[in-house]
Amino acid sequence: MIKLLGAVLIIFSTTWIGWDFSKRLIARPKQIRDIRAALQILEAEIMYGHMPLKEAVLKLAKQIPEPIREGFRLFADYLDEENQTVTNAWRKSVEEMRKLTELEEKEAEILLQFGETLGKHDRDTQQKQIQLTLKHLEREELLALDKQNKYDKMVKSLGFFSGLLITILLL
């Protein structure tokens, strides 16, 4: 009876791990899409709203889902700190956002490069920088979707079958 219970727990645990990996694969493209949507909103606020950066970021943070919302809210908070440059505030918020999301190094690097130009140019140049960032993120989103399509079912199955293999070896 105890062996059977142990076998069930092992299979359940490894299956759960596989599903957790799958959930992460699914979350990454969505989070990249949310960042792209946030940057499009920021572009509209810069081009047509003529709002200060902090107000524009706070406004867009209300319109996007978690966990991306938290990254932009932190950016607005960091902008309030004394002697804080826009670039440093952006860098800190991207680092925090990365902890909260499934974003990989490539996406973080794209966002950090964008942060180097944020607030340093006129509206037209800023719009071009946003468009360039959006193109790079679109490419990463397509790669993330491809990775999800390739590995989603595999990691779920691998979780179950590795538990089954462990159970067979232990019995």
Side-chain angles (χ1 to χ4, degrees):
M1 180 67 179
I2 295 203
K3 283 185 179 183
L4 182 62
L5 181 62
V8 169
L9 285 175
I10 289 171
I11 292 172
F12 176 77
S13 298
T14 57
T15 302
W16 182 75
I17 290 170
W19 280 82
D20 188 55
F21 275 105
S22 173
K23 186 180 87 176
R24 291 178 186 185
L25 285 172
I26 292 169
R28 185 170 161 240
K30 183 191 178 311
Q31 291 170 352
I32 295 170
R33 199 171 4 213
D34 290 344
I35 291 172
R36 288 180 56 220
L39 290 178
Q40 289 170 336
I41 293 169
L42 183 62
E43 176 185 20
E45 293 298 335
I46 288 171
M47 294 305 293
Y48 309 111
H50 303 290
M51 286 185 167
L53 183 60
K54 181 183 178 212
E55 288 178 32
V57 170
L58 285 173
K59 186 175 180 180
L60 81 86
K62 294 176 184 174
Q63 301 174 32
I64 55 176
E66 290 290 349
I68 305 304
R69 170 187 297 160
E70 183 64 17
F72 280 94
R73 192 194 57 73
L74 285 170
F75 176 53
D77 290 346
Y78 292 144
L79 286 173
D80 276 343
E81 294 177 4
E82 284 187 40
N83 300 324
Q84 185 71 264
T85 65
V86 174
T87 303
N88 287 338
W90 180 258
R91 183 176 296 118
K92 286 169 65 175
S93 65
V94 168
E95 289 169 2
E96 289 299 317
M97 190 186 316
R98 187 134 185 259
K99 294 175 186 174
L100 300 170
T101 63
E102 301 303 326
L103 298 178
E104 292 184 354
E105 187 66 35
K106 295 175 275 187
E107 292 91 21
E109 187 59 38
I110 291 167
L111 292 173
L112 290 173
Q113 286 175 1
F114 169 70
E116 295 293 325
T117 66
L118 191 59
K120 293 183 181 177
H121 300 287
D122 63 10
R123 288 185 305 148
D124 292 332
T125 306
Q126 193 66 65
Q127 182 182 30
K128 290 176 185 173
Q129 291 297 327
I130 291 172
Q131 290 298 320
L132 179 64
T133 303
L134 289 172
K135 288 290 183 194
H136 288 301
L137 287 173
E138 180 181 13
R139 184 191 70 233
E140 292 303 320
E141 181 184 352
L142 291 173
L143 291 172
L145 282 169
D146 186 48
K147 186 175 181 179
Q148 174 192 340
N149 291 334
K150 279 183 183 176
Y151 300 116
D152 182 37
K153 289 180 183 176
M154 183 191 73
V155 294
K156 289 177 185 175
S157 300
L158 190 60
F160 174 75
F161 288 118
S162 63
L164 196 59
L165 177 65
I166 292 169
T167 302
I168 291 170
L169 290 174
L170 291 177
L171 293 179

